[in-house]
Amino acid sequence: MFTRLNGFMERRPGRLLLLVGVLILVGLGVGGSSLTKMTMGVDDYDDSQSAAVKVLDKVEKASGSDLEQGYVVLVKTDQPIDPQSAERPAVVTRAIDLLKSRHEVKAVWDYASTHNPQMVSADRKETYVVAGVGSFAPGDAVKKAVTDLQDKIDADPQLRDRVSLGGPTASNVEGSTISSEDLGKAETIGFPILLVLLLFIFRGVIAALIPLGGAICTIALALGVMGVVMTTVHLSIFALNLLFALGIGLSIDFSLLIISRYREELHRGQSPKEAVRTTLFTAGRTVFFSGLTVAAALASLLVFPQRFLYTMGVTGIATVFGALVFALLGLPALLAVLGTRINKWAPKRWQRADEGPETEGRWYRFSRGVMKRPVIAAVSAGVVLVVLGLPFFGIKFTGIDSASMPRDSHAGKVYATLERDFPGSLQSPVNLIQEAPANAGPKLAEYAAKLKQIDGVAAVAPPRQLGDGLWQTDVSLKKAPLSLDAQDTLKEIKDTPAPYPTEATGNTALFRAMQDSLGSHLPLAVVVMALTTLLILFAMTGSVVLPLKAVITNLLTLSATFGILVMVFQDGNLEGLLDFRSQGALQPTMLIILLALTLGVSTDYTVFLFSRIKEGVDHGIPNREAVATGLQKVGRITTLAAVLFCIPMGVLTLSRLVFIKQLGLGTALSVIIDATLVRALLVPSLMAMFGSANWWSPGPLRRFHSRFLGGFQESEAAPVPGARTVSAEVETAGDR
């Protein structure tokens, strides 16, 4: 593949650049037109096969309402409200009339229609109205509906300052809007910082601009792939956060590795054409397999049935595809056209910065120092990682609902007000759906009375018939619907004998169903991630020891990252600095995305490092010297790549949505931990401790690797005379 690619590149680099340009335009056209089809519904987190989700279809067929959707409208009045009267203040009547006029609204309930005095505040100056809505078509239909309703409220002088719109439907739409706004603000802040760092790290104006062009290429092609996928399945709009951050990060990583190798070959005296060829066969091959590691890790998300998660998997694969097209087609062709002009507008002092001997660099000296006392270094780094990971054992989980919205948002204000002034409100009840005959009212009323006796239950609405053979009983909880206390109360509700077949749904039950679904699919996803890591690193090294060590160190990185996230977001530390309000738990779907992303990126950097170490040992360099020179060659590159990768991911912590903050901070932390404790301390110390055993594998696997995978190493030059590869020595020793 690389031979043919290099041949085409040597003959027609300009045509290759033109081809990449056409692909970018096609990607933008296909992807841009598909953005309005992306979903932003609350069902993005559902497993369609769970009982709590299946019952929603029955309810909608019977009543027209989707229990997962809905509006909650908070109304302030000038005159006191009499909760026992059927008379309503004018502003309440006007709000109800507006809701009933909406085509998506199927039913409206207030204190007068339900005879529920708890829907009126203690000072009798506030009340809330609940509107049941039908399901929305995929795409921006839900956003248009919510935006139109909010506009009508704002345009009405009687409602403008007295009515606030909240509830699950409004909350989810507002959340997606906030996510998009915050992403734009983060890019505005992060881009200048990134540009300055690129200038210094890439050591030249032209070289610094290349990864930015790569990011445009990557994002455009990824959008195109996602547009094609959306002709078959729906994707969640929240994936755009990952697309932009990962697209920029990978483009920088791959550009830095390839441009550094190209400059290295130019410094060795090769012509631009020769340097491109060597770079493509060395760094290009490494980038190819590095991209595969990231794509394969994120592809593990495809095993989950939740749209939110498998969308992230599709987005990750599409982004890696775009980054590889740029790194293996666009960038080498660009280097072939630029030649030595890659160093134009770069100070001579910057160009000479990497021209020193490999045995005199900081990374070389540091790694040699670590390997003098490998046990102390390995134990020290391991202990730090384990201690950082200890809080992970106390992790708690919560979901995404109105409680996770910023308090300055409309939906966040409504939720906070109802929690404070309307204990036991019906904004997020447990919906009990009973299959019962038309005369089941008395028995269901008795059942409702029993439910009122449960400690965690705040109130129980009278059972109401939805249609032939279907009834609904709404149970309000004392605690937040996604809290651990609410989960315990749900269990007690389910354990209470019901006179007819009953299924629970609503936020609390749907969150429980999501947790069960995630738990049942997570083992398969982890197996896919682990096997991918093992296979790709075995293909690169021919060893079974190094891949196993990589998996273990990746797990330590993950546990340390999760432990810090627990301390920050669950325990509420740094609330003021990061500007969030702790929910006392972490969002599980974000942790699963972080698991895949961290494993992929960590293995990506591991491939960068091991490829250069393998090149050294295959040329007969002793193990410790190969480690030191390998770190010297790529230590700066991978560390700077990690710093740059942290910029687009880290700025996600500026989001007002706490679960986006968790993803941004978690990814940045994992990259920093991997670049410092793992690659600077654990890798060289463990390589020194294991010695030649690093390269061991059973005889059958050695022969398989030699026959089918031996070409995967970052070198195409012949070994030095008389030298034997480490793998050959290990194989000979094993055969003896």
Side-chain angles (χ1 to χ4, degrees):
M1 179 184 76
F2 289 95
T3 302
R4 293 181 179 177
L5 180 59
N6 180 73
F8 186 80
M9 194 170 303
E10 288 182 345
R11 294 190 304 270
R12 300 180 180 89
R15 291 189 181 183
L16 202 53
L17 282 176
L18 180 61
L19 173 62
V20 173
V22 171
L23 289 176
I24 291 173
L25 293 177
V26 172
L28 288 174
V30 174
S33 62
S34 301
L35 290 179
T36 57
K37 300 177 183 177
M38 301 188 80
T39 65
M40 58 184 73
V42 289
D43 59 343
D44 282 357
Y45 306 92
D46 289 345
D47 180 353
S48 60
Q49 298 304 309
S50 66
V53 174
K54 287 182 177 180
V55 76
L56 294 174
D57 294 332
K58 295 182 180 180
V59 173
E60 187 165 7
K61 289 178 181 178
S63 65
S65 295
D66 181 356
L67 292 181
E68 209 170 3
Q69 300 278 359
Y71 299 133
V72 177
V73 175
L74 184 65
V75 184
K76 297 179 180 180
T77 64
D78 294 329
Q79 61 189 91
I81 300 172
D82 182 1
Q84 305 298 332
S85 172
E87 296 292 328
R88 302 180 178 95
V91 64
V92 176
T93 300
R94 195 171 185 85
I96 292 174
D97 290 342
L98 174 60
L99 290 172
K100 288 183 176 180
S101 69
R102 307 286 302 175
H103 71 276
E104 74 270 19
V105 173
K106 306 303 178 183
V108 178
W109 301 279
D110 73 323
Y111 69 91
S113 63
T114 61
H115 307 289
N116 184 359
Q118 290 182 305
M119 297 182 74
V120 177
S121 63
D123 64 2
R124 299 170 62 185
K125 290 294 184 68
E126 283 184 301
T127 185
Y128 69 93
V129 181
V130 178
V133 302
S135 57
F136 294 89
D140 61 354
V142 60
K143 182 177 182 178
K144 290 180 178 178
V146 172
T147 302
D148 183 66
L149 176 56
Q150 184 64 60
D151 289 344
K152 282 184 166 53
I153 292 174
D154 294 338
D156 191 326
Q158 298 185 44
L159 302 180
R160 184 184 306 130
D161 299 322
R162 299 179 181 180
V163 172
S164 299
L165 178 62
T169 301
S171 174
N172 212 58
V173 169
E174 194 170 10
S176 67
T177 302
I178 290 174
S179 176
S180 299
E181 293 174 351
D182 290 350
L183 182 60
K185 292 178 182 177
E187 290 173 346
T188 302
I189 296 172
F191 185 79
I193 299 173
L194 195 62
L195 188 59
V196 172
L197 289 175
L198 285 172
L199 183 63
F200 284 98
I201 291 173
F202 278 79
R203 296 175 174 175
V205 175
I206 293 179
L209 293 175
I210 288 176
L212 297 180
I216 295 173
C217 173
T218 298
I219 293 170
L221 294 181
L223 283 173
V225 173
M226 292 168 66
V228 173
V229 172
M230 278 189 279
T231 60
T232 305
V233 297
H234 300 297
L235 300 180
S236 173
I237 198 169
F238 285 101
L240 295 180
N241 291 282
L242 178 64
L243 169 63
F244 285 97
L246 185 61
I248 295 172
L250 288 180
S251 299
I252 292 173
D253 282 1
F254 294 167
S255 297
L256 187 56
L257 186 68
I258 288 178
I259 291 175
S260 297
R261 185 68 186 230
Y262 177 71
R263 282 171 160 172
E264 181 182 329
E265 299 306 325
L266 288 178
H267 176 63
R268 288 177 177 175
Q270 291 190 359
S271 67
K273 181 184 290 188
E274 292 170 337
V276 169
R277 184 179 192 279
T278 302
T279 299
L280 187 61
F281 276 83
T282 55
R285 183 173 292 164
T286 299
V287 162
F288 175 72
F289 283 96
S290 298
L292 289 183
T293 64
V294 179
L298 289 167
S300 63
L301 299 177
L302 298 178
V303 308
F304 293 96
Q306 287 80 11
R307 185 185 299 126
F308 182 79
L309 284 176
Y310 70 66
T311 293
M312 297 298 179
V314 171
T315 302
I317 295 170
T319 305
V320 170
F321 168 77
L324 288 178
V325 168
F326 166 72
L328 300 180
L329 296 180
L331 182 51
L334 183 59
L335 293 177
V337 172
L338 288 174
T340 57
R341 286 174 294 179
I342 184 70
N343 293 320
K344 192 175 182 180
W345 298 333
K348 293 293 184 183
R349 182 171 58 86
W350 287 8
Q351 295 182 42
R352 292 193 299 267
D354 288 333
E355 295 180 4
E358 295 172 352
T359 57
E360 295 181 4
R362 295 188 185 93
W363 278 99
Y364 179 88
R365 294 193 299 271
F366 181 82
S367 58
R368 294 295 297 187
V370 169
M371 288 186 287
K372 285 181 180 179
R373 298 176 178 82
V375 176
I376 294 176
V379 171
S380 300
V383 168
V384 172
L385 290 171
V386 169
V387 170
L388 289 175
L390 290 177
F392 178 59
F393 290 101
I395 192 169
K396 300 175 184 177
F397 299 110
T398 188
I400 298 175
D401 67 349
S402 299
S404 59
M405 293 293 292
R407 284 297 182 258
D408 59 351
S409 65
H410 292 293
K413 289 178 181 178
V414 171
Y415 179 87
T417 301
L418 265 64
E419 283 292 293
R420 183 185 67 245
D421 299 336
F422 298 85
S425 66
L426 291 173
Q427 63 170 329
S428 293
V430 173
N431 307 120
L432 299 178
I433 309 303
Q434 294 101 3
E435 295 183 3
N439 61 355
K443 288 186 177 181
L444 290 176
E446 294 177 6
Y447 173 59
K450 292 180 182 179
L451 296 177
K452 289 181 181 179
Q453 307 305 313
I454 298 175
D455 288 339
V457 171
V460 181
R464 66 178 186 276
Q465 189 172 10
L466 300 177
D468 291 340
L470 208 64
W471 289 69
Q472 178 177 332
T473 304
D474 293 335
V475 181
S476 301
L477 307 181
K478 293 179 180 178
K479 299 295 183 180
L482 303 184
S483 65
L484 291 176
D485 290 335
Q487 295 295 317
D488 292 338
T489 303
L490 174 64
K491 185 178 184 302
E492 289 188 57
I493 291 173
K494 289 184 174 181
D495 290 341
T496 302
Y500 301 100
T502 300
E503 187 61 57
T505 189
N507 271 11
T508 307
L510 289 168
F511 177 62
R512 178 71 263 170
M514 183 189 74
Q515 285 186 295
D516 292 341
S517 176
L518 295 179
S520 64
H521 290 87
L522 183 59
L524 176 59
V526 171
V527 168
V528 171
M529 295 179 202
L531 282 179
T532 299
T533 302
L534 293 172
L535 290 174
I536 291 177
L537 291 182
F538 171 74
M540 182 187 68
T541 63
S543 165
V544 297
V545 176
L546 291 178
L548 288 173
K549 286 197 298 182
V551 169
I552 292 172
T553 55
N554 284 345
L555 290 177
L556 288 173
T557 300
L558 281 167
S559 66
T561 301
F562 288 169
I564 296 174
L565 290 180
V566 168
M567 289 188 289
V568 172
F569 291 102
Q570 181 172 303
D571 298 341
N573 297 301
L574 304 182
E575 277 187 326
L577 179 63
L578 296 179
D579 190 24
F580 72 96
R581 189 179 67 86
S582 174
Q583 295 177 268
L586 300 181
Q587 213 282 325
T589 56
M590 280 300 175
L591 293 182
I592 291 174
I593 294 170
L594 184 58
L595 168 66
L597 189 58
T598 298
L599 185 61
V601 173
S602 298
T603 307
D604 176 43
Y605 292 142
T606 300
V607 169
F608 289 179
L609 177 57
F610 281 177
S611 63
R612 295 309 291 260
I613 296 175
K614 181 70 162 57
E615 179 179 351
V617 297
D618 277 351
H619 283 71
I621 300 175
N623 181 70
R624 293 196 179 198
E625 186 68 11
V627 173
T629 55
L631 272 169
Q632 175 59 31
K633 290 176 180 177
V634 299
R636 174 185 175 274
I637 294 173
T638 56
T639 300
L640 294 178
V643 171
L644 291 172
F645 190 86
C646 286
I647 300 298
M649 296 303 301
V651 293
L652 294 181
T653 59
L654 300 177
S655 174
R656 287 170 287 170
L657 302 176
V658 67
F659 55 92
I660 300 295
K661 287 181 183 286
Q662 291 173 15
L663 178 63
L665 181 62
T667 306
L669 283 172
S670 65
V671 170
I672 292 171
I673 291 170
D674 181 72
T676 53
L677 293 173
V678 175
R679 271 182 283 121
L681 294 175
L682 270 182
V683 169
S685 60
L686 291 177
M687 292 291 289
M689 291 167 60
F690 278 75
S692 60
N694 284 306
W695 312 98
W696 178 85
S697 62
L701 287 180
R702 288 198 303 272
R703 289 186 284 273
F704 175 84
H705 181 273
S706 178
R707 181 174 181 182
F708 298 104
L709 302 172
F712 179 32
Q713 59 188 55
E714 193 175 289
S715 175
E716 60 172 347
V720 296
R724 304 177 66 191
T725 66
V726 170
S727 57
E729 291 177 357
V730 172
E731 182 170 0
T732 302
D735 291 341
R736 288 199 301 268

